[in-house]
Amino acid sequence: DTAVSQTPKYLVTQMGNDKSIKCEQNLGHDTMYWYKQDSKKFLKIMFSYNNKELIINETVPNRFSPKSPDKAHLNLHINSLELGDSAVYFCASSQDERLEAAFFGQGTRLTVV
Amino acid sequence: ILNVEQSPQSLHVQEGDSTNFTCSFPSSNFYALHWYRWETAKSPEALFVMTLNGDEKKKGRISATLNTKEGYSYLYIKGSQPEDSATYLCAHASGGSYIPTFGRGTSLIVHP
């Protein structure tokens, strides 16, 4: 069983569209994250969410929003997609964000055309 | 400002060489330091989580040390193998931030 799974793995879409990336973890972790990998492979935190608190990286445009229907899921919604949103997005989860290492999903490559 | 720095940015070694690289981070309000291994076309996988000054962790041929007072951690690979080729990431968590901040990684290529 995959611990952290993301769907889809690849997503090609046109500018201006709204899209979602789904993430599910079966580890029973309390905290989930979304990261954006830039062109130089740098992992930049976008959101951190547990059942108590949503932490948003202030540099993330408000076109991006996390939705958590339950503890095991943290989906990423993106409105009005722009060319610059093209990147690989990683979902991750951990039991304790500081003391426990995160488990990462396989990534979603988003291409905006 | 990226306050987690990793050096070198990339490293090429021959099979059998031992190697090491550095992660530097702010020493104040330290909480934890994470190391990850990230192979091409895969997702990052955790190697170590270190919390105490002087911590040493080992996993096979890979080991890591931690100096929280001066703000650095070293990752060592003994007898590098081609399968060790990957990007090695460190992530620093402080008392003021719930979320570990990643460095840009060290890309290691081991030539047969």
Side-chain angles (χ1 to χ4, degrees):
Chain A
D1 277 349
T2 303
V4 181
S5 60
Q6 297 177 228
T7 53
K9 190 172 182 180
Y10 300 97
L11 180 57
V12 181
T13 187
Q14 290 187 325
M15 282 176 57
N17 283 351
D18 302 338
K19 289 291 179 185
S20 296
I21 305 171
K22 295 185 178 180
C23 179
E24 176 181 6
Q25 55 98 0
N26 63 6
L27 298 167
H29 287 164
D30 287 332
T31 305
M32 296 184 72
Y33 316 82
W34 277 103
Y35 287 89
K36 180 180 180 181
Q37 177 192 340
D38 69 13
S39 57
K40 295 183 179 179
K41 216 177 179 181
F42 176 50
L43 283 175
K44 183 177 178 181
I45 186 71
M46 300 177 71
F47 305 101
S48 167
Y49 182 78
N50 62 24
N51 55 8
K52 302 173 188 175
E53 189 174 12
L54 171 65
I55 299 175
I56 303 172
N57 185 325
E58 61 190 13
T59 66
V60 175
N62 58 15
R63 298 181 294 104
F64 290 78
S65 59
K67 307 287 184 191
S68 181
D70 54 57
K71 181 179 165 179
H73 295 84
L74 184 67
N75 303 325
L76 182 64
H77 293 262
I78 316 169
N79 295 325
S80 302
L81 278 155
E82 300 177 358
L83 293 177
D85 298 332
S86 297
V88 180
Y89 293 85
F90 284 93
C91 176
S93 73
S94 68
Q95 186 57 30
D96 180 310
E97 51 268 24
R98 286 178 289 183
L99 292 178
E100 300 288 331
F103 287 76
F104 283 80
Q106 78 275 26
T108 295
R109 181 174 293 278
L110 171 67
T111 303
V112 182
V113 297
Chain B
I1 297 176
L2 185 64
N3 56 7
V4 180
E5 303 286 346
Q6 291 189 245
S7 62
Q9 186 175 351
S10 64
L11 194 54
H12 291 250
V13 301
Q14 291 296 126
E15 183 175 356
D17 288 350
S18 292
T19 187
N20 66 85
F21 19 93
T22 307
C23 174
S24 302
F25 50 85
S27 56
S28 60
N29 213 9
F30 175 86
Y31 205 88
L33 193 284
H34 303 200
W35 280 101
Y36 291 84
R37 181 170 179 271
W38 192 2
E39 290 182 74
T40 301
K42 294 187 178 181
S43 50
E45 292 183 350
L47 288 172
F48 308 113
V49 178
M50 310 175 78
T51 57
L52 298 175
N53 185 43
D55 249 357
E56 292 188 26
K57 301 271 186 176
K58 188 174 181 182
K59 189 175 185 178
R61 293 178 291 98
I62 303 176
S63 60
T65 61
L66 178 67
N67 183 323
T68 62
K69 294 182 186 296
E70 296 183 34
Y72 64 84
S73 175
Y74 293 138
L75 190 79
Y76 300 91
I77 302 178
K78 184 177 179 181
S80 302
Q81 300 297 308
E83 57 265 31
D84 295 329
S85 298
T87 296
Y88 292 82
L89 298 171
C90 69
H92 164 254
S94 66
S97 168
Y98 288 111
I99 308 167
T101 300
F102 279 87
R104 293 191 177 274
T106 292
S107 173
L108 173 67
I109 297 174
V110 182
H111 299 277

